[in-house]
Amino acid sequence: YLEQANRLDPLDSNAQRYLGIQLGHLRRYDEAIHHLLEANRLAPAGESPGDWTLGRLYPYVGRATEAVKIAELRVERSHASPTALRNWRLLLGWAYARAGRSEQGRQLLTELESGAGSLTVQYLMAVVAAALGEHERALRHLEIWYAEDPSGLPGDLDWEWWDPLRSEPRFQALEAKVKRRMEEKLAAAAP
């Protein structure tokens, strides 16, 4: 459907962005990056709707330094919104880890952990910890996220940044719990 939407209106930055997001999810990184860059080009002046996903995908094609640059720039520009600033700092920590700047990533993660509050933060802190190779720390954050977020979906654990944890029994158990909870919700909603 997203490819069709993109064909019908190739000048729609949202169609480009959402197609890029899904292509990234499918690990078709070069195609995804193409559509995300196109989304940025088509967006109104001053907006870059593809930046978050570009920052997430660039490391997978050997462009981790560009991910760091995007995240650093967005951190600088996000001071008006504490939520946006926190989320961009988390992406920056992830990009640092992927760019081989682990000490900076750890420092940023530790700072963010001291002020953790929302469930989205737990999920994103797990992302950073996984990129740093700190599986225990990542799993701890994911387990908090699961325990406190009844809206967590199986797709939340499909993203490529969880690949380092896939062989961990605790991650596999968490995936099974999230899927089971979704099945129970669907069964309860069925007529």
Side-chain angles (χ1 to χ4, degrees), residues 9-93:
D9 190 357
L11 300 178
D12 181 349
S13 65
N14 282 323
Q16 294 282 348
R17 176 175 161 246
Y18 288 117
L19 180 56
I21 290 168
Q22 291 308 313
L23 288 167
H25 189 62
L26 295 171
R27 292 157 176 81
R28 291 167 51 185
Y29 302 125
D30 290 328
E31 293 173 80
I33 289 168
H34 165 78
H35 287 285
L36 294 163
L37 290 170
E38 191 65 10
N40 282 355
R41 187 184 71 77
L42 294 169
E47 293 183 25
S48 302
D51 276 1
W52 176 267
T53 309
L54 284 168
R56 185 173 60 79
L57 297 182
Y58 272 152
Y60 294 107
V61 295
R63 297 167 68 177
T65 301
E66 290 176 67
V68 169
K69 287 179 185 175
I70 286 173
E72 286 177 338
L73 180 64
R74 295 303 289 256
V75 164
E76 287 176 23
R77 294 181 179 173
S78 297
H79 290 284
S81 167
T83 301
L85 175 60
R86 182 200 61 225
N87 290 344
W88 282 107
R89 289 182 76 209
L90 283 161
L91 184 68
L92 180 58

Side-chain angles (χ1 to χ4, degrees), residues 78-160:
S78 297
H79 290 284
S81 167
T83 301
L85 175 60
R86 182 200 61 225
N87 290 344
W88 282 107
R89 289 182 76 209
L90 283 161
L91 184 68
L92 180 58
W94 184 83
Y96 280 153
R98 297 293 304 199
R101 295 166 64 177
S102 297
E103 192 52 43
Q104 288 173 289
R106 270 188 199 85
Q107 181 180 352
L108 200 48
L109 179 57
T110 299
E111 289 171 20
L112 290 160
E113 283 174 332
S114 68
S118 84
L119 298 172
T120 301
V121 174
Q122 293 295 331
Y123 181 89
L124 292 174
M125 285 190 298
V127 167
V128 177
L132 290 166
E134 297 185 17
H135 294 191
E136 175 62 33
R137 196 174 188 182
L139 289 164
R140 186 177 68 245
H141 286 298
L142 272 178
E143 288 166 349
I144 293 169
W145 163 78
Y146 170 77
E148 297 180 10
D149 186 2
S151 65
L153 301 172
D156 293 334
L157 299 178
D158 287 344
W159 296 97
E160 68 283 338

